[in-house]
Amino acid sequence: MSLLKIGSTGDAVKALQRALTAKGYSVGDDGDFGQNTFKAVIAFQKKVGLNPDGVVGKDTSDALGLNSKAVWETLPFPVANRSRAAAMPTLEAVARLTGVSAKLLATFASIESAFDYTVKPSTSSAEGWFQILDATWDALVKAYGAKYGIMPDPKRTLRKDPRANALMGAELLAENTRALKKALGREPTDVELYAAHFFGAGTAGKFLSAVKSAQGKSLFPAQAKANPGIFYAKYNPKLDPIEWQPRTVAEIIALFEKKVSAHRG
């Protein structure tokens, strides 16, 4: 790796900035080695016992993992599986890189997998902490993977790694946040983001803007057919559908709130 210093620009500087961000130094990733990056490099060099000259050579690159690791590999691997406490250092590092709060990430990882990064249901292509489907993973990697060193892979090998899975899960949450903010005219809550996760952001925007006293099944028949346990309070395939007691939009939102609140930690 060539020396990087004040005035350097390009992809190598972007990789440096992302590695610094993963270590807790928020410098953005504009590819411009300016004063903020310079100060962060010096602070990091001091922390790890290197000469604090603000120049990134082999020793500093090695310490940051730039010579042998992609950005996602510099994140801490959880010391235990199925553990919120063990997951938090990883999620906090992901939060620093993506801007998505670690608390929100933990809520969704708890909902989706109970922090089990090995889980893969037999009835779905979903996998990992954030239970990301095949097609969704491929789209996320195509859109965001390069900046973390996550490359397209037909076998989706990295989806099994909680660090890569969390990065793409965070990017999905960020996408849904942007979509709902546009639809609602404000920042969405974690419950509203769960609705986006459940329905898709487009449908969630319409659902959350609907008259709250309206029956959900009447407004969203396709979703009700696919998710009768959500849209009907007394769903039972052995009963006549007239007895299923359809839920209102407000009642469905309350159901989502109950679920999310149980996982906030």
Side-chain angles (χ1 to χ4, degrees):
M1 179 179 180
S2 301
L3 289 179
L4 297 176
K5 56 187 179 179
I6 285 280
S8 296
T9 60
D11 289 341
V13 175
K14 287 185 178 182
L16 164 65
Q17 290 170 326
R18 290 166 188 155
L20 285 167
T21 298
K23 297 294 184 182
Y25 305 93
S26 297
V27 295
D29 62 347
D30 60 3
D32 182 3
F33 198 131
Q35 284 297 321
N36 287 341
T37 301
F38 177 70
K39 291 176 182 177
V41 169
I42 288 177
F44 175 75
Q45 289 171 327
K46 288 180 178 178
K47 182 178 181 180
V48 298
L50 297 174
N51 178 31
D53 58 3
V55 176
V56 180
K58 183 179 185 305
D59 289 344
T60 302
S61 294
D62 286 345
L64 285 167
L66 287 171
N67 291 336
S68 59
K69 296 180 180 180
V71 171
W72 70 268
E73 292 178 289
T74 68
L75 304 184
F77 196 93
V79 297
N81 194 20
R82 306 181 188 91
S83 166
R84 180 184 290 267
M88 289 313 298
T90 305
L91 296 179
E92 287 162 358
V94 168
R96 289 193 291 268
L97 282 173
T98 63
V100 178
S101 83
K103 182 177 180 180
L104 182 65
L105 291 169
T107 297
F108 275 77
S110 179
I111 290 171
E112 290 303 311
S113 66
F115 300 100
D116 183 353
Y117 54 75
T118 67
V119 68
K120 183 174 174 57
S122 60
T123 57
S124 167
S125 68
E127 187 171 18
W129 266 352
F130 288 83
Q131 287 295 280
I132 303 174
L133 297 167
D134 285 353
T136 304
W137 176 264
D138 292 344
L140 290 167
V141 169
K142 182 177 180 180
Y144 309 108
K147 63 182 178 178
Y148 305 117
I150 300 172
M151 297 296 106
D153 173 13
K155 295 183 178 180
R156 304 177 185 88
T157 304
L158 287 185
R159 186 172 51 171
K160 299 178 176 67
D161 190 291
R163 298 166 294 178
N165 195 284
L167 283 166
M168 294 299 97
E171 292 290 358
L172 180 58
L173 277 169
E175 276 190 1
N176 287 342
T177 297
R178 291 190 293 269
L180 286 187
K181 185 175 181 180
K182 184 177 180 180
L184 303 175
R186 56 172 173 76
E187 290 290 335
T189 66
D190 56 358
V191 174
E192 290 164 341
L193 284 168
Y194 180 71
H197 181 80
F198 191 87
F199 292 126
T203 298
K206 297 174 183 176
F207 176 82
L208 295 166
S209 301
V211 176
K212 299 300 183 285
S213 60
Q215 289 185 353
K217 75 176 184 68
S218 299
L219 299 178
F220 302 94
Q223 287 75 18
K225 183 177 181 180
N227 304 281
I230 297 296
F231 282 80
Y232 298 93
K234 295 184 178 180
Y235 169 69
N236 185 332
K238 296 181 180 180
L239 298 177
D240 189 307
I242 200 170
E243 300 180 54
W244 288 358
Q245 192 174 325
R247 288 189 171 106
T248 65
V249 170
E251 288 170 335
I252 295 171
I253 293 173
L255 195 67
F256 288 166
E257 167 64 38
K258 182 178 180 181
K259 184 178 184 70
V260 172
S261 65
H263 292 272
R264 288 189 180 119

